[in-house]
Amino acid sequence: MSTITLKVNGKAHTVDVEPTTPLLYVLRNDLGLQGPRFGCGLGQCGACAVIINGVATRSCVTPVSGVRAEVTTLEGLSAGGTLHPLQQAWIDEQVPACGFCQNGQIMTAKALLDRNPRPTDAQIREGMARTLCRCMTYYRVQAAIKRVAGRNA
Ligand code: FES
Ligand code: FES
C-alpha cells in the first residue's frame, strides 16, 4: 500500500491504496464520487471518464499513482449548486435513456467544448465517437452539445 494525495474537484484527498489501483476505484470507493461509472473496465466505452489536464481520461485504466494533475469528475461541474451549461442542455434535450453512459458523454463533451467551443457536426461526431451508448442516445447527445456550442457563438 502507498499513501497517495490526489486533488479532485478542488480538494486534496489522501488515500492509502495499492499504486496500481485504477483511479476509478479510488474515486468511487474511497472518495464516494459516483459520477464516473464502471462500464467495460477496459478503456473501451468511456463511462468512467474524468477530466485531467483538459483531457477526457478513462479512469478505469489509469493507475492512481500515475495521476499528476487535478482530477475533475462529473460532481465537479456544478460549482456552487449551479448546473454546468452542458448539464442544463442534457436536461433540456432529455438526453439520457438508462443513463449508464451519460457521465462519459458529458465529460467527453466538456473536454471537447473546452478545446473547441464551436465544433462542427463532424467535429462533434469525431470527438464523441469512442464514447459508447447502448441506448443509442447519440442524436440527443449531439443536439445538447450543439445547444451549448450555439451559445458560444
Ligand atoms: S469503464 Fe472505463 S472505458 Fe469503459
Ligand atoms: S443512456 Fe443507456 S447506455 Fe447510454
Side-chain angles (χ1 to χ4, degrees):
M1 301 285 260
S2 294
T3 301
I4 292 172
T5 298
L6 280 178
K7 191 169 181 191
V8 181
N9 300 333
K11 274 178 62 180
H13 300 269
T14 299
V15 292
D16 190 22
V17 293
E18 291 293 338
T20 54
T21 304
L23 173 62
L24 175 64
Y25 296 2
V26 173
L27 294 173
R28 288 185 61 89
N29 301 339
D30 295 273
L31 305 188
L33 295 167
Q34 307 289 304
R37 296 295 182 91
F38 184 99
C40 64
L42 297 169
Q44 294 179 355
C45 73
C48 61
V50 298
I51 297 178
I52 302 174
N53 278 333
V55 176
T57 301
R58 299 191 169 192
S59 62
C60 69
V61 289
T62 302
V64 66
S65 57
V67 177
R68 299 275 179 259
E70 179 164 2
V71 177
T72 301
T73 71
L74 185 65
E75 290 87 347
L77 297 193
S78 53
T82 304
L83 292 180
H84 185 280
L86 272 171
Q87 293 173 308
Q88 186 60 54
W90 244 245
I91 293 170
D92 295 340
E93 294 290 344
Q94 293 285 288
V95 174
C98 81
F100 203 88
C101 72
Q102 296 295 320
N103 167 75
Q105 305 293 345
I106 292 177
M107 299 308 280
T108 305
K110 179 173 189 313
L112 168 67
L113 288 174
D114 286 349
R115 293 196 295 282
N116 178 3
R118 298 195 60 203
T120 63
D121 288 5
Q123 288 168 332
I124 294 173
R125 279 196 298 277
E126 186 186 330
M128 301 300 295
R130 291 180 57 247
T131 304
L132 306 183
C133 175
R134 63 191 168 191
C135 302
M136 281 299 292
T137 62
Y138 300 115
Y139 296 106
R140 296 198 298 278
V141 166
Q142 175 132 1
I145 294 171
K146 286 174 70 169
R147 194 180 265 260
V148 177
R151 287 196 210 110
N152 293 335

